[in-house]
Amino acid sequence: MSLTGRSLISLGDLSLNEIGQVLGVAEQMAQGIGFDDPALRSAPEALDRLLATCFFEPSTRTRMSFASAMLRLGGQVVDMGGAESSSAAKGETLADTARIVSAYCDVIVQRHPLAGSARVAARYATVPVINAGDGAREHPTQTLTDLFCLRRAKGRLDGLRIGLCGDLRHGRTVHSLAPVMAALGSELICIAPPALQMPPEVLARCEALGGTRPGQTADLAAALRDMALDALYMTRVQKERLTDPAEYERLKGAYVLDAGLMALAPEDMIVLHPLPRVDEIAREVDADPRARYFEQAAGGVPVRMALLALVMGVAPEPSGRCALREPGASPVAELTPDRSLQPPRETRRCDTRCTNPRCITGREVYLPAECCDAADGTTRCAWCESALPDS
Ligand code: NCD
């Protein structure tokens, strides 16, 4: 199916084929902007398209790389400014903002602190909406960036062994990344203290897609020493999502990846991090050739160029280069590329309002209560996907 005109709310909105298409176009974009070789850089022609960036939560990489991507495509960008300088501060609803901003642009990129907010924008906007992070729920374009970096570093995306470490409970990047890696036949090891472990519903989705449930441990040193990891994906403890400051103080130092720990890790294990880092990766690791997080962040530009171009219907024909594996690389895992990563969700009106305090329906009270049935048999809020009471 074509990506033209489609919104991207969850990574599961894409099939593996479509993810491969985005990554393939991203390689073409990378060449055009001289990502690897500045001599190959070519100036873009003007593109009569506008991107609106609506960030209701802080961002450096995502907001700027989206803007950079649109400008490098030859288009232009209008930025909403921070939530405090927009009409949200006067009490405007997200639905009205999405409707209005649609009139000013061809595509909206939105970040918001509440789960389900991207779905609200997509419901009311008349142009495609790309989710740049909705609370602790998902961050699909970060995952596309992670996959671009991983495939370049490892030559393939299938059948890898990946450690996910840190705040897996609140980290939206790992909620988007883990299911797709499971669908790609990866073995996942969730490394976190019990209070920050991966939510059971994400583990269940990984199991449904990959056939095995991710392993869980709190012991980073043992995982580095014994598990022959291909990649370690570090994450920051999400201070802004913890309600108790004392809990943050207790958990913030849970892991510090330093030279001593890196000495235990495989020679060819790469280290990724969506950034920003706080203390979870010591500065000394930056000089280790296995540290790839700055390169990972740089890849956000060609990846977002590809996604924007595909959504706007102005992407070049894919070059045919296999984007899930390097040309000639032998398959490691059996893939079903056209399988959807998330079965189509049948949503319906319901009587029970969501009680998740981080759900967008708590703030935007005009939203109807809607639910859907999850694969694990529970009834979930159709906006934020948390289980409804009594389900
Ligand atoms: C991440 C995010 O916003 O979820 N940052 C990013 O977009 N690269 C990770 C984080 O803030 O910890």
Side-chain angles (χ1 to χ4, degrees), residues 151-163:
R151 196 201 53 76
R152 285 182 143 229
K154 293 284 157 191
R156 64 187 164 89
L157 285 172
D158 55 329
L160 298 172
R161 189 179 274 203
I162 311 230

Side-chain angles (χ1 to χ4, degrees), residues 151 155-158 321-335:
R151 196 201 53 76
R156 64 187 164 89
L157 285 172
D158 55 329
R321 181 166 171 187
C322 177
L324 296 175
R325 294 183 191 111
E326 285 295 352
S330 50
V332 177
E334 278 294 320
L335 301 181

